[in-house]
Amino acid sequence: MAKAEMGHDHAHSYEAPTKLTRNQSMVFSALREQEKPLTAYAILDRLRGDGLRAPLQIYRALDKLMEKGLVHRLESLNAFVACQHEACSGHSTVAFAICENCGLVDEIEDEAVNREIERVSRERGFLPTRATVELKGLCAECR
Amino acid sequence: MAKAEMGHDHAHSYEAPTKLTRNQSMVFSALREQEKPLTAYAILDRLRGDGLRAPLQIYRALDKLMEKGLVHRLESLNAFVACQHEACSGHSTVAFAICENCGLVDEIEDEAVNREIERVSRERGFLPTRATVELKGLCAECR
DNA sequence: TCGCATATGTTATACTGTAACGCAACCGTT
DNA sequence: AACGGTTGCGTTACAGTATAACATATGCGA
Ligand SMILES: [Zn+2]
Ligand SMILES: [Zn+2]
Ligand SMILES: [Zn+2]
Ligand SMILES: [Zn+2]
């Protein structure tokens, strides 16, 4: 039962982040119901009952959701999480604190971290387009 | 050949970076001959002529080399690079600036970046054990 | 020497991600 | 309504990354 916005036919105010397609909604819902990250195949397993059968259906939905800033990929886990902000299309960079005990992920946007990354890049003549910052350790609950 | 080095220190001085085994030496050499990162399978291809046949031989060597701080894994590329410092067993955290045009990787140790990562973790009650920081963009040559 | 830990070699398999194809739904134009 | 472009969908097959399990070998210390 995909819960993500069923109806909504009528024209809306702004650039309503373009409605999600059926597959995209299902994948997004699967990720939001879970606070922990899921691999593409884990998502697939949860959605087999809803008609999704092939990995590509998941990966295509994830690609679009990432474009829209609704989902992030955790490179160090080969997994995906729903964005914890409103939707980070804009965000310069976010960091993820990943608990190795309980799997909880905290999405962090921090100005000073981003500033230092910019500075160190500039000092080396490097022109960054995106950054991956992932911290492993113990969350406040588990430490 | 490839006996890796000789030398028996009767007196266990410190933990002299423990000699590399034959496979570890070959994998490490393959990585050092290349300034760009290599995937495990790319390393394997280069070492087939030297008797290595199976992925596991590569992965096992890489695991040990990473333990010793001689090699780093780039999570965002599923690839590996030789450490550009003396050997970062100790390093708190290093960042990698990865050129998307030429593939060059610059290994960066920066005190301020590390300090801000520590701070933001502390502020959230997160106890970090290791960090992955990978920047994608254009190197000084390619920009 | 025995015994243990570590390293190796090999096969098979699991996990992660794409290429390529054809069809369907959508949308703005005519 | 018919056209034509774009995007999404479904499927098969495959490529790329990583590990499990098991057997053998090798080094080193008690
Ligand atoms: Zn976000
Ligand atoms: Zn936790
Ligand atoms: Zn290093
Ligand atoms: Zn470059």
Side-chain angles (χ1 to χ4, degrees):
Chain A
M1 293 343 212
K3 67 188 237 184
E5 319 303 321
M6 303 280 292
H8 278 312
D9 287 328
H10 278 313
H12 201 13
S13 38
Y14 277 81
E15 184 65 52
T18 46
K19 219 155 54 89
L20 299 182
T21 68
R22 189 177 62 95
N23 288 2
Q24 289 161 20
S25 292
M26 291 194 296
V27 169
F28 189 41
S29 296
L31 282 174
R32 279 199 304 189
E33 288 168 5
Q34 192 75 14
E35 59 209 38
K36 301 178 183 180
L38 292 174
T39 67
Y41 280 77
I43 295 169
L44 177 56
D45 285 342
R46 289 165 188 252
L47 295 178
R48 281 191 200 282
D50 298 320
L52 293 194
R53 267 173 276 263
L56 206 43
Q57 296 175 293
I58 308 298
Y59 283 109
R60 290 201 276 225
L62 287 170
D63 285 345
K64 292 301 183 185
L65 291 168
M66 286 190 291
E67 275 179 19
K68 297 174 197 289
L70 295 172
V71 164
H72 302 291
R73 177 188 171 81
L74 298 178
E75 301 286 354
S76 64
L77 297 179
N78 294 327
F80 304 84
V81 285
C83 176
Q84 292 169 18
H85 305 143
E86 271 316 306
C88 317
S89 314
H91 288 188
S92 40
T93 291
V94 289
F96 296 92
I98 304 166
C99 179
E100 290 183 292
N101 182 243
C102 70
L104 194 83
V105 172
D106 187 13
E107 182 177 342
I108 301 171
E109 185 179 17
D110 185 88
E111 187 49 45
V113 169
N114 293 348
R115 188 166 50 237
E116 294 304 326
I117 287 175
E118 288 286 340
R119 176 191 51 75
V120 75
S121 295
R122 199 165 45 241
E123 285 176 6
R124 306 229 167 191
F126 186 80
L127 183 64
T129 57
R130 58 214 146 83
T132 298
V133 181
E134 299 178 12
L135 316 180
K136 299 284 187 60
L138 294 177
C139 75
E141 287 298 320
C142 294
R143 61 188 302 178
Chain B
M1 47 193 80
K3 184 48 192 310
E5 271 335 301
M6 308 274 283
H8 7 268
D9 8 49
H10 38 221
H12 39 60
S13 39
Y14 280 86
E15 193 60 51
T18 47
K19 245 164 17 116
L20 298 182
T21 67
R22 188 177 61 94
N23 288 2
Q24 289 162 20
S25 293
M26 290 195 295
V27 169
F28 189 41
S29 297
L31 282 174
R32 279 198 303 191
E33 286 168 8
Q34 192 75 15
E35 59 211 38
K36 300 177 182 179
L38 293 174
T39 67
Y41 281 77
I43 295 169
L44 177 56
D45 285 343
R46 288 163 189 254
L47 295 179
R48 281 191 199 281
D50 298 320
L52 292 194
R53 268 172 273 262
L56 205 44
Q57 296 176 292
I58 308 299
Y59 283 109
R60 289 201 275 226
L62 287 170
D63 285 345
K64 292 302 183 184
L65 291 167
M66 286 190 291
E67 274 179 19
K68 297 173 195 291
L70 295 172
V71 163
H72 301 292
R73 177 188 171 80
L74 298 178
E75 301 287 354
S76 64
L77 298 179
N78 293 327
F80 304 84
V81 285
C83 176
Q84 291 170 17
H85 304 145
E86 272 315 305
C88 326
S89 315
H91 288 187
S92 41
T93 292
V94 289
F96 297 92
I98 304 166
C99 179
E100 290 183 293
N101 182 243
C102 71
L104 194 83
V105 172
D106 187 12
E107 182 177 342
I108 302 170
E109 186 179 16
D110 185 86
E111 186 50 43
V113 169
N114 293 348
R115 189 165 48 237
E116 294 305 326
I117 286 176
E118 288 286 339
R119 176 191 51 75
V120 75
S121 296
R122 202 164 42 239
E123 285 176 6
R124 305 227 168 193
F126 185 80
L127 182 65
T129 55
R130 60 215 146 83
T132 299
V133 181
E134 299 177 14
L135 316 180
K136 298 284 186 62
L138 294 176
C139 75
E141 288 298 320
C142 295
R143 63 187 300 178

